[in-house]
Amino acid sequence: MILKQTLRIFTQLLVGSELRHWLDNRKKDRFAPRFVQPGFDLTIDAFPRSANTWIYYHAQLAYPEAKIGHHVHSWQHFFFSKLFGIPAIMIVRKPDASVQSLVTKKGGSLALGYLDFIITNGIGGLFVDKVHFFDELIGDRGMEALLADISKRLGTKPQSVPVDEVRQLMVTRTAHKNITTPKLRDEDLGAFDRLMQKAANRLYARIEKRWRA
């Protein structure tokens, strides 16, 4: 798994490597991950384990005709959105929570997970139009702010989104994503883990300072 993590980080740094996702777009249904293309309406993406799926389902159901790039989990998604003139929204979750959840689900190194977080959010943040925060979106009325932001960018009002419909999509399509994440223990962190953790949390603080309403 560590080799796979390292390969992902290496390919992320190669501009254009994520264009492989374009080849998958023709083979999947409308809810499958899609890399932004010219003519799309919006990009919504984030580092893994940041409620990407829950947020995307709300957005797609609220704007059923919109073409939305999502679930690439790479800074390059935001770079190409900027290149194509497509509005891009990045969702950011606290690094300890998102990295620990990802490592629990897929295995690998915490240090590499933090490094991946830094690359995805640090470079990606240079090209986005707006950042929304995970802890705000999962609140009782958190999605309202996001949908209002999307409406402003698309110039159209959202359709009503029954929460039960979103939950059903989660159950039928993404039940495997639901995992229990243990609390990150201090003794689980090695020296390099701590170094990357500190850098990731500093980046998160900088993002908050710039984008937190």
Side-chain angles (χ1 to χ4, degrees), residues 17-176:
S17 62
E18 297 291 357
L19 294 179
R20 59 190 169 82
H21 287 279
W22 269 336
L23 300 176
D24 296 332
N25 288 341
R26 303 166 188 159
K27 306 174 185 177
K28 307 289 182 63
D29 62 53
R30 66 189 289 252
F31 290 116
R34 302 181 73 186
F35 197 100
V36 67
Q37 300 178 38
F40 270 37
D41 300 293
L42 184 69
T43 296
I44 302 177
D45 215 334
F47 184 75
R49 311 305 298 169
S50 303
N52 284 272
T53 305
W54 176 260
I55 292 165
Y56 164 68
Y57 284 162
H58 271 90
Q60 191 66 79
L61 292 174
Y63 307 92
E65 302 303 319
K67 296 179 181 178
I68 303 175
H70 63 100
H71 277 88
V72 176
H73 308 309
S74 170
W75 69 268
Q76 297 188 49
H77 207 192
F78 303 115
F79 170 77
F80 280 96
S81 296
K82 191 75 170 181
L83 190 65
F84 299 149
I86 311 299
I89 294 173
M90 183 168 73
I91 312 300
V92 181
R93 185 182 185 185
K94 290 181 179 179
D96 285 340
S98 54
V99 170
Q100 175 71 357
S101 180
L102 181 62
V103 171
T104 298
K105 183 174 185 289
K106 293 192 172 183
S109 160
L110 284 169
L112 291 177
Y114 284 117
L115 179 57
D116 195 0
F117 177 95
I118 292 167
I119 293 171
T120 301
N121 293 292
I123 303 178
L126 300 174
F127 306 107
V128 300
D129 297 280
K130 178 67 175 178
V131 169
H132 285 270
F133 292 90
F134 171 92
D135 57 347
E136 294 176 343
L137 294 177
I138 62 172
D140 290 341
R141 304 182 67 177
M143 293 304 300
E144 290 183 10
L146 177 65
L147 295 182
D149 185 16
I150 295 174
S151 288
K152 180 176 65 176
R153 299 179 192 284
L154 299 185
T156 184
K157 293 183 179 180
Q159 294 188 13
S160 176
V161 180
V163 175
D164 287 345
E165 187 173 352
V166 179
R167 288 174 177 161
Q168 185 60 36
L169 280 170
M170 295 290 291
V171 169
T172 57
R173 298 178 61 92
T174 54
H176 63 285

Side-chain angles (χ1 to χ4, degrees), residues 158-208:
Q159 294 188 13
S160 176
V161 180
V163 175
D164 287 345
E165 187 173 352
V166 179
R167 288 174 177 161
Q168 185 60 36
L169 280 170
M170 295 290 291
V171 169
T172 57
R173 298 178 61 92
T174 54
H176 63 285
K177 292 179 178 286
N178 300 322
I179 62 170
T180 300
T181 304
K183 186 177 181 180
L184 185 62
R185 300 180 304 171
D186 196 55
E187 57 266 31
D188 292 334
L189 298 170
F192 190 45
D193 296 327
R194 294 178 193 279
L195 180 64
M196 291 294 99
Q197 180 192 42
K198 186 175 182 179
N201 278 287
R202 282 184 175 178
L203 172 63
Y204 183 82
R206 288 175 59 187
I207 294 172
E208 276 196 307

